[in-house]
Amino acid sequence: MRLRYPAVLIAVLAALGAVNAPGAETIQEFLGRHWRRPLVPQGPPPARFSQLEASLQPEACGACHPVQLADWTTSLHARSMGPGVAGQLVEMLETDPGSALGCLTCHAPLAEQAPRVVDGARARANPVYDGTLGPRGLVCAGCHVRGHERFGPPRRDGSLASTVPRETLPHNGVTRTPAFLSSEFCRSCHQFAPDGFALNGKLLENTYEEWKTSRFAREGVQCQDCHMPDRRHLWRGIHDPAMVRLGLTIVARTGASRYRAGDTISVTLSVENTRVGHAFPTYVTPRVVLSAELVDQAGEVVAGSREERVIARDVALDLSRERADTRLLPGAKAVLEYRRRVDRVGLRARVSVVVYPDAFYTDFFESLLAQGAGRGEALIRDALGATRRSPFTVFERELPLS
């Protein structure tokens, strides 16, 4: 990984939270205000704003920031209100509006994206709800706009102040802060509070703390360095084969160069978390399967020869318990040791590592449909289809044994 912060900025970040300018608020102070939940409505735009400047739609931002918009449209942030979430919320907004609106704090955080607002023990219609914005997920404004004021990172040269009067700039310019380059910026949605939902003594969402205790944090490597390289709005992760391969070191080898009929073969497949800055995988939804099996000269798998090892945090569908946790923290390794007596020559050992990014959701959506998904059924079926299409092979080799 390349370190993208200048040394001076790293030192500031490591010290009192990094300041925007002499006498300005720290990163922690800025983020405490920026991510105060729930976000308040933007309110009326300044009188001088054009319709484009006042809009919260991603395409309005893309009019001047087309590269960022193009990147965002390919990201999971743009699909954070996809059919899986939306399908569940159809019924939840009626039966448990408080929990449903709680989901939106990360999946669609703007006040204008929530169809209802909590009013004591009840929920009422949201007067500022924008039905065209609600389904768009984590839009540009979710991170960059508060009270119609724009916020963003320092310029690439590290400067913060505008060189011209802000009132002469589109949307009154931008307030720049190094908070946008800090992992703390991502914590709001990628880290549960210490008293948040936990299983087996471990928070269900603990990505920021996993990073904070890793060597990556000590070396100053931020979330953005890997997930937003060169400030790209891509946020690639467990669904992206190239990203997964970049984070792992996978090695397959045999114990000997040649085996004869009657020998017991030895094959080792190892997966090491060498460049993932948190647990691999970090959440309960993915499942990674290491496997080994014998293949004959015709390419057929020898019956009964397959063995597997799983990397995952395996939890019950109702989140009532954790069944196993075999995830790899940074620097950790999983090894599949394959031993088997072979009865003939000409066999090969096929080893593979397959990633199921949405394994939990596949089982969950199947269960939900079996029970009855109500008015969200069509959306849940779409989501289930997407989860079934998401697995990919990150590594596969056939090792000759004779």
Side-chain angles (χ1 to χ4, degrees):
M1 294 180 183
R2 287 182 296 166
L3 193 60
R4 299 179 187 278
Y5 277 0
V8 173
L9 182 53
I10 294 173
V12 176
L13 287 168
L16 300 171
V19 294
N20 302 343
E25 63 185 351
T26 65
I27 278 181
Q28 284 79 5
E29 290 169 342
F30 169 81
L31 291 176
R33 175 171 54 83
H34 195 74
W35 286 120
R36 189 174 293 124
R37 303 302 184 98
L39 300 183
V40 300
Q42 299 295 322
R48 67 172 288 265
F49 272 25
S50 67
Q51 185 176 357
L52 188 69
E53 292 169 301
S55 174
L56 300 176
Q57 295 290 341
E59 290 73 19
C61 304
C64 294
H65 304 282
V67 173
Q68 289 82 355
L69 176 66
D71 284 350
W72 173 82
T73 58
T74 69
S75 75
L76 285 179
H77 281 182
R79 302 193 296 277
S80 62
M81 280 298 291
V85 175
Q88 295 176 71
L89 294 185
V90 171
E91 297 289 340
M92 283 181 65
L93 282 167
E94 299 292 337
T95 61
D96 188 4
S99 296
L101 294 172
C103 297
L104 297 185
T105 60
C106 285
H107 285 266
L110 292 178
E112 291 77 7
Q113 293 182 286
R116 299 186 183 185
V117 292
V118 175
D119 186 2
R122 302 170 55 251
R124 56 179 172 81
N126 180 5
V128 300
Y129 175 57
D130 182 342
T132 65
L133 191 66
R136 304 300 300 276
L138 182 54
V139 295
C140 314
C143 291
H144 291 283
V145 182
R146 298 291 183 272
H148 285 288
E149 181 181 354
R150 269 60 173 179
F151 296 87
R155 294 183 182 85
R156 291 180 183 270
D157 65 5
S159 63
L160 299 170
S162 175
T163 57
V164 297
R166 290 184 54 160
E167 62 270 17
T168 66
L169 297 172
H171 52 64
N172 288 336
V174 59
T175 298
R176 299 184 181 276
T177 165
F180 279 81
L181 302 178
S182 166
S183 291
E184 282 78 5
F185 192 90
C186 310
R187 177 174 54 186
S188 180
C189 284
H190 293 278
Q191 178 65 48
F192 281 4
D195 61 349
F197 186 80
L199 291 174
N200 198 22
K202 294 171 289 187
L203 293 169
L204 199 68
E205 177 75 71
N206 199 40
T207 305
Y208 173 81
E209 289 297 330
E210 292 167 1
W211 165 83
K212 190 176 179 180
T213 59
S214 75
R215 69 174 179 86
F216 299 92
R218 294 191 296 273
E219 295 170 4
V221 180
Q222 308 296 310
C223 303
Q224 294 86 335
D225 292 315
C226 297
H227 295 285
M228 298 183 69
D230 198 32
R231 302 194 179 188
R232 298 286 302 275
H233 287 55
L234 297 169
W235 301 290
R236 297 288 188 257
I238 191 69
H239 288 80
D240 185 79
M243 187 73 175
V244 174
R245 291 188 184 99
L246 183 66
L248 304 176
T249 297
I250 304 175
V251 177
R253 59 168 62 97
T254 58
S257 59
R258 179 177 298 181
Y259 293 96
R260 295 173 296 183
D263 286 349
T264 297
I265 66 163
S266 172
V267 175
T268 302
L269 174 63
S270 67
V271 175
E272 184 177 0
N273 178 356
T274 49
R275 299 181 69 187
V276 180
H278 44 72
F280 172 77
T282 185
Y283 199 48
V284 298
T285 50
R287 179 182 177 91
V288 182
V289 178
L290 288 64
S291 69
E293 59 193 4
L294 296 177
V295 181
D296 63 22
Q297 290 177 316
E300 297 294 325
V301 175
V302 176
S305 69
R306 184 177 176 89
E307 293 183 14
E308 295 181 348
R309 177 165 181 173
V310 174
I311 303 172
R313 186 178 184 186
D314 183 15
V315 302
L317 293 182
D318 62 358
L319 303 182
S320 61
R321 67 192 186 282
E322 175 186 280
R323 293 185 286 242
D325 188 353
T326 55
R327 296 173 298 163
L328 303 180
L329 290 172
K333 179 188 295 186
V335 180
L336 173 61
E337 299 280 1
Y338 186 76
R339 304 281 188 273
R340 189 166 293 267
R341 183 178 180 275
V342 293
D343 58 2
R344 72 196 100 156
V345 297
L347 295 176
R348 301 183 304 281
R350 178 187 292 160
V351 294
S352 66
V353 179
V354 179
V355 177
Y356 299 83
D358 303 308
F360 176 90
Y361 287 132
T362 300
D363 294 341
F364 177 75
F365 292 147
E366 287 175 346
S367 176
L368 186 58
L369 288 168
Q371 299 171 22
R375 289 174 295 133
E377 179 176 343
L379 290 168
I380 297 298
R381 290 194 182 280
D382 285 348
L384 175 60
T387 69
R388 289 172 172 169
R389 294 189 296 271
S390 67
F392 57 87
T393 299
V394 73
F395 179 89
E396 184 174 85
R397 295 284 189 278
E398 288 195 2
L399 307 175
L401 301 173
S402 61

